[in-house]
């Protein structure tokens, strides 16, 4: 949906279908990003609901300067950061990571793929936050460097630099883990 179409729907008042469309199109991305940020499925559920409620309440704040996806991921990021800063979370041990479901292939193939994926995720999650976040936004959410820069309030050059360093760190770590 283009920025003009979004503005038209917002102004026309067909908000229920707009929010429903956003939830269908971006709900999984919002949930996964919230889960990545908090490392908790239950928190991701709550944050996702919060994000779409905030998007509804602040729909007129969407100016079309970025994509709807980038706007929603920005709301997700701020909501997740606020969640992590809350006193409740500081008192609770975070546990459990999101792991995608496998397909119906041979058990050995699935196991090897899961092992490789787990190793990659452990490597990515072991990176400092500033590298981890740009890498996930680039690789998983396929945001442009400009969108990442806007979302994280960084310069595009800083995003490029962090992406380069993050990829190098992951590659170096994975090479260290390779059996000889």
């Amino acid at each position: 949906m283009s920025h003009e179409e979004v503005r038209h729907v917002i102004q026309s008042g067909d908000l229920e279908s707009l929010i429903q469309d956003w939830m269908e199109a971006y709900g999984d991305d919002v949930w996964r990003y919230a889960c990545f940020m908090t490392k908790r499925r239950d928190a991701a559920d709550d944050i996702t609901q919060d994000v779409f409620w905030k998007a509804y309440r602040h729909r007129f704040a969407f100016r079309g300067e970025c994509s709807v996806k980038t706007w929603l991921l920005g709301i997700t990021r701020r909501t997740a950061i606020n969640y992590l800063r809350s006193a409740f979370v500081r008192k609770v041990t975070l546990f459990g990571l999101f792991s995608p479901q496998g397909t119906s292939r041979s058990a050995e193939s699935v196991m090897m793929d899961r092992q490789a994926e787990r190793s990659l995720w452990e490597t990515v999650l072991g990176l400092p936050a500033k590298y981890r976040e740009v890498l996930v936004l680039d690789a998983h959410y396929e945001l442009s460097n400009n969108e990442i820069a806007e979302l994280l309030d960084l310069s595009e050059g800083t995003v490029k630099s962090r992406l380069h360093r993050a990829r190098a760190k992951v590659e170096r770590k994975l090479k260290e883990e390779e059996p000889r």
Side-chain angles (χ1 to χ4, degrees):
M1 184 177 274
S2 74
H3 302 303
E4 293 78 30
E5 291 171 317
V6 170
R7 291 309 263 159
H8 174 72
V9 172
I10 288 173
Q11 292 169 350
S12 72
D14 189 13
L15 298 172
E16 193 172 310
S17 67
L18 176 68
I19 297 299
Q20 185 65 34
D21 289 347
W22 285 354
M23 289 172 69
E24 288 173 9
Y26 308 112
D28 286 343
D29 288 333
V30 167
W31 187 88
R32 285 188 177 109
Y33 191 42
C35 193
F36 162 75
M37 294 282 296
T38 63
K39 298 180 177 123
R40 294 190 59 174
R41 291 179 185 204
D42 59 331
D45 292 340
D46 293 343
I47 290 168
T48 300
Q49 286 182 341
D50 230 11
V51 165
F52 286 106
W53 173 243
K54 288 176 182 179
Y56 174 77
R57 282 192 2 241
H58 301 287
R59 62 195 175 273
F60 293 107
F62 179 73
R63 296 181 302 268
E65 295 171 354
C66 62
S67 69
V68 172
K69 180 178 181 178
T70 302
W71 183 61
L72 290 171
L73 290 177
I75 296 170
T76 305
R77 182 175 188 269
R78 289 185 297 278
T79 305
I81 287 170
N82 288 339
Y83 169 83
L84 291 170
R85 287 180 180 158
S86 74
F88 170 76
V89 172
R90 287 194 303 265
K91 293 178 184 175
V92 176
T93 303
L94 299 179
F95 63 95
L97 295 174
F98 169 74
S99 60
Q101 299 295 323
T103 59
S104 59
R105 298 177 321 211
S106 75
E108 182 179 345
S109 174
V110 169
M111 184 190 76
M112 290 176 65
D113 285 351
R114 284 185 182 166
Q115 178 90 18
E117 186 176 317
R118 189 174 306 120
S119 176
L120 178 62
W121 270 110
E122 286 173 3
T123 301
V124 169
L125 292 174
L127 293 173
K130 66 182 186 180
Y131 298 125
R132 181 177 61 230
E133 191 166 27
V134 294
L135 193 57
V136 169
L137 290 170
D138 174 69
H140 183 74
Y141 293 100
E142 300 175 349
L143 296 184
S144 69
N145 289 346
N146 187 41
E147 289 174 315
I148 295 170
E150 187 176 312
L151 181 66
L152 301 179
D153 196 27
L154 300 170
S155 73
E156 197 168 343
T158 301
V159 169
K160 288 178 183 178
S161 173
R162 286 184 183 180
L163 274 172
H164 176 75
R165 289 184 180 140
R167 289 178 182 135
K169 287 177 181 289
V170 168
E171 186 176 340
R172 189 171 41 252
K173 180 72 173 167
L174 292 176
K175 281 185 180 179
E176 290 172 4
E177 293 176 1
E178 278 182 6
R180 300 186 191 259

